[in-house]
Amino acid sequence: MSLFGEFDIPAEAFALQDTLEELPDVVIEIERVVATEELLAPYFWVNGDDIDEFETVTETDPSVRNLRRLDDFDRSTLFRADWTENTDTIVYAYTHVGATILEASGQYNGWTLCIRFDEHEDLSQFQDYCDQREIPFQLVRLHELTQPRTGSQYGLTRKQHDALLAAYEMEYFDSADVALADVAAELDITPQSLSELLHRGYRSLVEQTLVVTSE
């Protein structure tokens, strides 16, 4: 039975610590991580006012290299980068046991990760790996897969799933009386953040359900 663990970890136990310390208002949301034989290449969204400054600061961050800007939206930009060997922290701990990072969100004060483990034994190995290398983490929640279908099957992160579901349940899509700000208040986020979550959620749903790619 697959396990889903939610962890809080300090900034120094993950990537981009130097960048987040210098830019405390920036929020980074990892969308997915591509693993190769030699390195890990994450795709991540950066939410902030000055993306050019983010790129400049990241040039001297030892945890990443080959930063590439892929897509730009209102206040959110999609990047891809390579994690370097300097990131010998929880980044490589989960690959040691074959687990998968489903979602990660970070600011200057730390990161929140959602990791899937295929077996209970994988979680135990993950904990042992972290303990042996003194990698700090706090397990916030642990649960098993109880539903056969999840939003992640359609490329949705947990935050995108929650935003779309809240908007639907509050009849945001059906009633002109429900404003974006109303749904944002329910989720305790800004209307701008909600707009970006809905936009990326729509995009993922369309890509996973309507777009047909030829061979």
Side-chain angles (χ1 to χ4, degrees):
M1 178 71 71
S2 295
L3 288 173
F4 295 83
E6 296 181 23
F7 301 86
D8 284 341
I9 61 174
E12 62 269 18
F14 205 60
L16 294 165
Q17 175 193 2
D18 292 356
T19 300
L20 291 172
E21 284 183 352
E22 190 162 343
L23 303 173
D25 293 331
V26 164
V27 178
I28 298 176
E29 296 181 342
I30 293 179
E31 184 170 271
R32 62 191 177 97
V33 179
V34 177
T36 70
E37 294 181 357
E38 299 180 353
L39 50 81
L40 298 174
Y43 289 80
F44 56 92
W45 294 92
V46 176
N47 302 321
D49 293 322
D50 195 336
I51 298 301
D52 291 334
E53 183 181 13
F54 172 83
E55 290 180 307
T56 300
V57 172
T58 307
E59 289 179 358
T60 58
D61 193 313
S63 67
V64 295
R65 64 187 180 192
N66 298 329
L67 182 73
R68 297 176 292 284
R69 186 189 295 203
L70 302 180
D71 288 307
D72 287 293
F73 294 95
D74 293 339
R75 292 188 66 252
S76 185
T77 301
L78 180 65
F79 287 94
R80 176 174 175 170
D82 298 334
W83 272 320
T84 68
E85 294 180 357
N86 291 310
T87 315
D88 187 18
T89 54
I90 210 166
V91 167
Y92 286 97
Y94 81 92
T95 62
H96 177 74
V97 298
T100 302
I101 291 182
L102 299 178
E103 185 178 349
S105 177
Q107 276 188 285
Y108 73 96
N109 57 348
W111 285 81
T112 298
L113 278 67
C114 179
I115 303 178
R116 184 183 67 215
F117 302 91
D118 291 341
E119 304 287 345
H120 284 72
E121 180 62 26
D122 295 337
L123 175 61
S124 298
Q125 292 181 17
F126 173 82
Q127 292 173 314
D128 291 342
Y129 184 97
C130 292
D131 289 342
Q132 292 170 8
R133 291 158 179 78
E134 298 183 349
I135 300 174
F137 69 90
Q138 179 180 0
L139 178 61
V140 178
R141 185 187 305 172
L142 185 67
H143 57 94
E144 295 181 338
L145 179 63
T146 58
Q147 298 294 332
R149 301 182 67 84
T150 64
S152 62
Q153 290 179 291
Y154 301 104
L156 297 178
T157 67
R158 185 184 61 183
K159 289 183 179 180
Q160 291 166 7
H161 172 275
D162 291 347
L164 287 165
L165 186 60
Y168 175 81
E169 291 177 343
M170 294 180 66
E171 298 184 349
Y172 169 73
F173 304 114
D174 302 315
S175 175
D177 295 331
V178 180
L180 188 71
D182 297 328
V183 183
E186 179 69 19
L187 295 170
D188 195 25
I189 60 177
T190 67
Q192 178 66 37
S193 295
L194 175 60
S195 177
E196 292 167 356
L197 286 171
L198 292 176
H199 181 92
R200 298 204 296 269
Y202 300 151
R203 180 182 180 186
S204 294
L205 288 174
V206 170
E207 287 179 344
Q208 296 294 324
T209 59
L210 300 181
V211 176
V212 178
T213 303
S214 59
E215 295 183 359

